[in-house]
């Protein structure tokens, strides 16, 4: 059973930083593309950032230059460093793991990030 556990959310003021972590209990972690999504109240869940097993990354335009996704394959963990946070970044952030070459996709339970102005 694959489990993803997020941590690191919280309440911060605009301009501050947070680092989210995602711990994965999965075999062959390097074969999974790791992604962070977020969902604000009343809105759809949107992709924020993704990182391949080899370290290739991509970002939503709204977070480019402010957020950095990374991973540690030895620790089976993915991270999202969020800087210069804005109130519009307020959302529940979800970790997602997609197994390359299959339809297997796993989700964490989400962690709340609230940015006050």
């Amino acid at each position: 059973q694959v489990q993803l556990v997020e941590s690191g959310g919280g309440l911060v003021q605009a301009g501050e930083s947070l680092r989210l972590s995602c711990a994965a209990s999965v075999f062959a972690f390097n074969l999974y593309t790791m992604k962070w999504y977020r969902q604000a109240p009343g809105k759809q869940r949107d992709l924020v950032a993704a990182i391949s097993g080899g370290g290739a990354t991509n970002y939503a335009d709204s977070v480019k230059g402010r957020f950095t996704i990374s991973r540690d394959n030895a620790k089976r963990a993915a991270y999202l460093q969020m800087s210069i946070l804005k109130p519009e970044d307020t959302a529940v952030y979800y970790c997602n793991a997609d197994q390359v070459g299959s339809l297997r996709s796993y989700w964490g339970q989400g962690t709340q990030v609230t940015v006050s102005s």
Side-chain angles (χ1 to χ4, degrees), residues 7-25:
S7 61
L11 171 63
V12 297
Q13 293 188 336
E16 295 184 339
S17 300
L18 275 177
R19 187 190 193 214
L20 305 183
S21 298
C22 174
S25 63

Side-chain angles (χ1 to χ4, degrees), residues 61-80:
D61 287 342
S62 60
V63 306
K64 282 180 180 177
R66 299 189 298 121
F67 290 11
T68 302
I69 189 171
S70 61
R71 65 189 293 159
D72 185 329
N73 288 339
K75 294 183 178 179
R76 300 181 186 180
Y79 308 96
L80 186 68

